[in-house]
């Protein structure tokens, strides 16, 4: 205060004007920086193991975004904790666009129904940027089960409850919650064996350590072609263009059953709106590139490339939906 009084009125006005200029510069600098984004490598955190379903989409995006941006995109797999460890890492990152998250239905909807103590709020603690893909999963069984249809599988599970086991990508994951939904809906019983990722569950399915799994196209189709597993049904309400002979659960044993997985790019909370729009536009452009779209469809994913507003609206609606599904299926958060 004494120092401020010692400064003359002219000098005080000069200091105030300088401060105003600096403040104004700070306000406009961020959007200007957004137009130049990125000027250094971008980290894409994937809260799952390498080689899994989300990782497949992430690697495809990495290829095209690096080309569009002229900067390296580092894919950083941070699995664990029902995919919350990697997600929480991004929720606490600096909101400058250089740390992004590729996650989806588990981290931002299903965990609410299965995890008692969340590390983050899926709506409040992230900035939705763009929905990337949607896909249906496949119900598969080890060849030793000697079943050719999902009806035969259901009959065997009803005749011998709790004799057979199914694997999942982890507690609270889509493959876990969706199978529990199916169990509750059609009255079957099977033992749940959680893994740290889909790829590990599929490895044990092929090896016969578990008998069933709900998994993605890329993980299961090659083993089915080799005759080691049998593909029995799709979780969504439409058949897959890659395996059109495999029926849906809704048209066979569970009328109305429809579970479809979705993924998207998120940032930390508080991101600059112009920067969000810029990243959204580039993600949409990457997904629309023929080589990327074909790569994703071959793996069983349908590119989406939503607007920021559409993706933002999806999250709370999915949180509500899966909370209701978990309650109806009798699943208690752990």
């Amino acid at each position: 205060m004494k120092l401020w009084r010692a400064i003359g009125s002219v000098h005080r006005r000069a200091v105030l004007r300088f401060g105003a200029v600096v403040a104004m510069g700070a306000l406009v600098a961020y959007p200007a920086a957004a137009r130049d984004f990125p000027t250094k490598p971008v980290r894409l955190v994937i809260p799952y193991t390498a080689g899994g379903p989300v990782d497949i989409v992430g690697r495809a995006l990495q290829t095209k975004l690096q080309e569009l941006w002229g900067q390296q995109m580092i894919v950083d797999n941070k699995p664990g904790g029902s995919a919350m460890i990697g997600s929480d890492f991004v929720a606490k990152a600096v909101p400058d666009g250089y740390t992004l998250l590729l996650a989806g239905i588990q981290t931002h909807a299903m965990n609410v129904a299965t995890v008692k103590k969340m590390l983050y709020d899926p709506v409040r603690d992230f900035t939705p940027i763009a929905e990337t893909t949607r896909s249906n999963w496949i119900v598969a069984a080890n060849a030793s089960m000697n079943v050719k249809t999902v009806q035969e599988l259901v009959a065997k599970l009803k005749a011998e409850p709790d004799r057979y086991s199914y694997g999942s990508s982890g507690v609270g994951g889509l493959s876990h919650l969706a199978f529990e939904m199916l169990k509750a809906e059609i009255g079957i019983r099977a033992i749940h064996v959680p893994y740290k990722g889909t790829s590990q569950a599929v490895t044990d399915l092929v090896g016969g350590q578990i008998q069933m799994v709900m998994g993605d196209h890329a993980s299961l189709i090659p083993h089915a072609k080799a005759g080691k597993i049998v593909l029995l049904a799709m979780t969504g309400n439409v058949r897959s263009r890659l395996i059109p002979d495999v029926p849906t659960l809704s048209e066979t044993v569970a009328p109305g059953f429809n579970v479809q997985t979705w993924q998207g790019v998120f940032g930390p909370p508080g991101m600059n709106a112009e920067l969000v729009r810029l990243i959204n536009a580039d993600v949409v452009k990457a997904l629309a590139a023929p080589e990327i779209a074909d790569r994703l469809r071959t793996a069983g994913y349908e590119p989406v490339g939503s607007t920021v507003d559409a993706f933002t609206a999806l999250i709370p609606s999915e949180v509500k939906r899966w909370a209701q599904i978990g309650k109806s299926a009798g699943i208690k958060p752990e």
Side-chain angles (χ1 to χ4, degrees):
M1 182 65 69
K2 291 180 179 179
L3 178 61
W4 180 249
R5 288 173 179 171
I7 300 175
S9 60
V10 174
H11 290 85
R12 285 201 298 270
R13 287 195 296 271
V15 170
L16 289 171
R17 283 197 299 271
F18 176 77
V21 170
V22 170
M24 186 177 295
L27 289 174
V28 300
Y30 205 82
R35 285 193 294 270
D36 297 331
F37 178 89
T39 58
K40 62 181 181 180
V42 177
R43 174 186 291 189
L44 181 65
V45 175
I46 296 177
Y48 300 94
T49 55
V54 181
D55 190 68
I56 290 172
V57 177
R59 303 288 170 173
L61 280 176
Q62 176 193 37
T63 301
K64 194 62 181 179
L65 287 176
Q66 287 185 149
E67 177 186 320
L68 291 174
W69 288 343
Q71 290 287 345
Q72 183 183 14
M73 171 170 271
I74 302 167
V75 172
D76 187 1
N77 295 92
K78 290 183 179 294
S82 296
M84 289 193 297
I85 292 176
S87 302
D88 186 55
F89 177 86
V90 175
K92 292 179 171 60
V94 177
D96 58 3
Y98 289 96
T99 302
L100 302 174
L101 174 72
L102 181 64
I105 192 170
Q106 179 185 5
T107 58
H108 285 71
M110 299 174 79
N111 275 350
V112 175
T114 59
V115 179
K116 182 178 293 186
K117 189 175 181 180
M118 294 280 290
L119 297 178
Y120 53 81
D121 184 299
V123 176
R124 184 188 64 228
D125 293 340
F126 296 88
T127 298
I129 296 175
E131 185 181 353
T132 54
T133 55
R134 293 206 172 205
S135 65
N136 298 321
W137 277 30
I138 309 167
V139 178
N142 183 274
S144 65
M145 289 283 284
N146 293 318
V147 294
K148 295 182 179 180
T149 67
V150 70
Q151 291 93 328
E152 291 178 359
L153 176 66
V154 169
K156 181 166 286 194
L157 294 175
K158 286 185 175 181
E160 302 176 278
D162 293 329
R163 176 180 176 182
Y164 303 104
S165 58
Y166 76 94
S168 76
S169 58
V171 175
L174 176 67
S175 50
H176 171 217
L177 195 53
F179 208 106
E180 290 298 316
M181 283 175 57
L182 183 63
K183 285 169 58 179
E185 187 158 327
I186 63 178
I188 57 175
R189 284 161 53 186
I191 300 169
H192 175 221
V193 180
Y195 290 83
K196 291 184 178 180
T198 302
S199 58
Q200 296 175 359
V202 172
T203 296
D204 275 7
L205 173 70
V206 173
Q209 286 78 23
I210 56 175
Q211 290 74 48
M212 299 163 288
V213 78
M214 282 186 179
D216 62 293
H217 291 63
S219 297
L220 295 175
I221 290 177
H223 297 299
K225 289 180 177 179
K228 297 179 180 179
I229 63 173
V230 182
L231 308 182
L232 300 173
M234 305 299 302
T235 62
N237 58 3
V238 294
R239 297 193 181 196
S240 167
R241 70 175 73 191
L242 297 179
I243 43 175
D245 293 335
V246 178
T248 67
L249 287 167
S250 63
E251 67 183 283
T252 51
V253 297
F257 192 93
N258 181 23
V259 174
Q260 192 177 47
T261 183
W262 53 265
Q263 301 170 0
V265 176
F266 298 84
M271 285 183 64
N272 173 271
E274 183 180 346
L275 179 59
V276 171
R277 287 192 295 270
L278 183 149
I279 297 175
N280 170 274
D282 288 339
V283 169
V284 171
K285 187 182 298 184
L287 292 168
E291 69 274 20
I292 300 301
D294 290 345
R295 178 175 168 181
L296 291 172
R297 289 190 176 110
T298 300
Y301 300 95
E302 192 62 33
V304 177
S306 72
T307 63
V308 174
D309 290 344
F311 191 38
T312 300
L314 174 69
I315 311 305
S317 67
E318 281 288 273
V319 168
K320 181 179 179 180
R321 178 192 178 213
W322 282 98
Q324 293 173 340
I325 289 173
K327 184 177 181 180
S328 299
I331 296 173
K332 296 181 180 180
E334 298 178 358

